[in-house]
Amino acid sequence: MPSDDARYLRECLHLAAPLRGVTFPNPLVGCVIVRKDKIVGQGVHRGVGTPHAEAVALAQAGKQAKGSTLYVNLEPCCHFGNTPPCTQAIIKAGIARVVFSVKDPNPLVKNGNSERILKKAGIKVTVGVLEKEARILNEKFLYFYEKGKTFVSLKLAASLDGKIATATGNSKWITGVPARAFVQLLRKESDAIAVGANTVLNDDPELLIRDGVPKKRLQPLRIIFDSNLKIPLSAKVLHMKGKGNTLILTTNDAPGEQIRAFEHLGVEVHVLKKDRAGHVDLEKAVEFLTKRQVTSLLIEGGGEIAAAALNAHIVTKLYYFIAPKIIGGRHAMPAVGGDGVLKVAEALKLNNMTTESIGEDLLVQAYPEHA
């Protein structure tokens, strides 16, 4: 691999990264075109219906594209969608070499068909440069199409001693403004946001993207896990007309008249199997959401739904915000509830953990070992 390949692919990633949450549900893609060690064109995809990064870069490069090398972090498309195939534009421009990081698992690209098309046209193709970094950038998109399963993120925000609320239930605000802004970004990157019934009862959330919905981006689907429909009909999350849909996942313990009352409000109610504890079976919930083409789900605490999600092994990635505060109290609410394990050796292990400061808070990102 020429040393310059990594340098130019890193530039592609730098171009794409600032658009997190903006391009959803499309992936983040940046492109640069290099001729004689000089960037002659660059572009980034800005969302549904807008030109792909390759098209933008080719337009900027113009005639200088001929004989150049095109770098892009995701395999160029070869199908007609909202825009024409990038492969044809690359061939027409006379690009001599294409370097990309990750093969596109979208079935429309047909398992590397773009690579074959480019090679057949006499273009040299190099695959896999900065693959690890490129995969992290588009991990939710890649996971859904490669695994055929909804990517589930769990967000927790706790004090340094692991509390999400005081013994009286007071929880606002544990983390600072920058951390809460980051959570809005996580919402923008998700098809759906989910909470348990207790969170609705205690906090009465709206579960909306609050700091501006990107153009052509719908509000995420709001999901409530409520095994016996105990949330009130007056809950804010049930009265969001014109701001997306709400779905309640429940069990056959839910009274029929209560289901009809929620449906009368325009809320979808779906009955799933119970787990051993009598709650909504979260594995079945993920199967149901996968069939509905929900690519990514963000679960936002409380402690009981966090414990249930981790115990059901449905969590793909954990976002844990730690505030520099100590709440104390044996009856204060823990970030992860449930019964816990009996032995430390049985504790859930986390892999590939990273930490960063978000304002005054610390953000830990990690992947449960089962993911």
Side-chain angles (χ1 to χ4, degrees):
M1 178 184 72
S3 59
D4 287 342
D5 283 356
R7 175 160 63 98
Y8 290 123
L9 251 306
R10 190 164 282 108
E11 183 64 26
C12 294
L13 298 176
H14 288 164
L15 286 170
L19 291 170
R20 282 185 64 183
V22 176
T23 65
F24 183 88
N26 288 0
L28 292 157
V29 183
C31 175
V32 298
I33 297 174
V34 178
R35 181 181 177 85
K36 296 181 180 179
D37 204 29
K38 179 182 177 182
I39 294 177
V40 295
Q42 63 182 31
V44 64
H45 177 54
R46 296 188 177 276
V48 178
T50 65
H52 286 190
E54 299 94 321
V56 176
L58 287 168
Q60 188 178 105
K63 293 181 180 180
Q64 294 185 86
K66 187 173 183 180
S68 298
T69 299
L70 181 145
Y71 295 88
V72 63
N73 57 290
L74 186 68
E75 182 178 7
C77 70
C78 60
H79 61 281
F80 280 93
N82 292 317
T83 58
C86 288
T87 49
Q88 295 307 309
I90 290 169
I91 294 168
K92 185 177 179 180
I95 292 289
R97 180 171 176 249
V98 172
V99 183
F100 64 87
S101 304
V102 183
K103 291 188 177 183
D104 189 344
N106 188 325
L108 293 173
V109 182
K110 298 180 181 178
N111 301 316
N113 199 32
S114 293
E115 181 183 357
R116 289 191 290 272
I117 290 171
L118 294 172
K119 286 181 175 179
K120 188 175 180 181
I123 297 173
K124 296 179 180 179
V125 179
T126 302
V127 184
V129 180
L130 293 192
E131 181 175 1
K132 181 179 178 180
E133 294 91 332
R135 281 188 163 277
I136 291 172
L137 185 69
N138 283 309
E139 61 184 350
K140 296 178 177 68
F141 170 84
L142 295 169
Y143 184 92
F144 181 78
Y145 285 107
E146 291 177 348
K147 304 285 188 180
K149 190 176 179 181
T150 300
F151 186 106
V152 180
S153 302
L154 173 63
K155 186 275 295 184
L156 298 172
S159 60
L160 188 60
D161 56 337
K163 309 296 185 181
I164 62 172
T166 67
T168 65
N170 181 264
S171 61
K172 292 185 178 179
W173 291 101
I174 288 179
T175 54
V177 173
R180 299 201 295 274
F182 192 95
V183 174
Q184 291 296 308
L185 173 60
L186 294 180
R187 289 184 177 187
K188 288 178 182 178
E189 293 180 329
S190 302
D191 264 330
I193 306 168
V195 295
N198 288 337
T199 296
V200 176
L201 291 170
N202 295 329
D203 298 338
D204 198 15
E206 293 182 338
L207 301 182
L208 296 174
I209 298 171
R210 291 192 298 268
D211 61 353
V213 181
K215 190 177 181 180
K216 296 187 179 181
R217 168 73 161 101
L218 299 176
Q219 285 283 353
L221 173 68
R222 296 175 293 275
I223 299 175
I224 314 299
F225 295 111
D226 190 350
S227 302
N228 50 21
L229 292 187
K230 63 183 181 181
I231 67 171
L233 292 170
S234 60
K236 289 179 183 176
V237 75
L238 307 178
H239 300 274
M240 294 281 119
K241 290 183 179 179
K243 295 183 179 179
N245 300 319
T246 299
L247 166 68
I248 298 178
L249 297 179
T250 189
T251 70
N252 55 17
D253 285 341
E257 64 272 16
Q258 189 78 336
I259 292 177
R260 290 187 289 273
F262 282 110
E263 290 176 337
H264 183 71
L265 292 175
V267 175
E268 181 184 358
V269 180
H270 188 80
V271 177
L272 291 170
K273 287 178 60 177
K274 292 185 286 189
D275 61 17
R276 292 180 180 179
H279 302 139
V280 173
D281 187 316
L282 295 183
E283 288 186 82
K284 296 297 181 184
V286 171
E287 290 177 10
F288 170 70
L289 294 174
T290 298
K291 290 178 182 177
R292 285 182 60 139
Q293 295 295 297
V294 173
T295 60
S296 54
L297 169 67
L298 174 64
I299 298 177
E300 298 194 26
E304 295 307 311
I305 191 64
L310 291 168
N311 290 337
H313 293 176
I314 67 166
V315 178
T316 317
K317 186 172 185 177
L318 174 67
Y319 295 88
Y320 197 135
F321 294 89
I322 303 173
K325 302 172 183 176
I326 293 178
I327 291 176
R330 64 176 57 89
H331 299 300
M333 299 180 188
V336 181
D339 294 327
V341 298
L342 298 178
K343 298 178 181 179
V344 173
E346 299 170 348
L348 175 64
K349 294 181 181 178
L350 302 174
N351 296 327
N352 301 319
M353 188 174 75
T354 62
T355 61
E356 64 178 299
S357 295
I358 305 288
E360 64 179 8
D361 304 307
L362 182 69
L363 171 59
V364 178
Q365 300 181 58
Y367 302 82
E369 195 168 68
H370 56 75

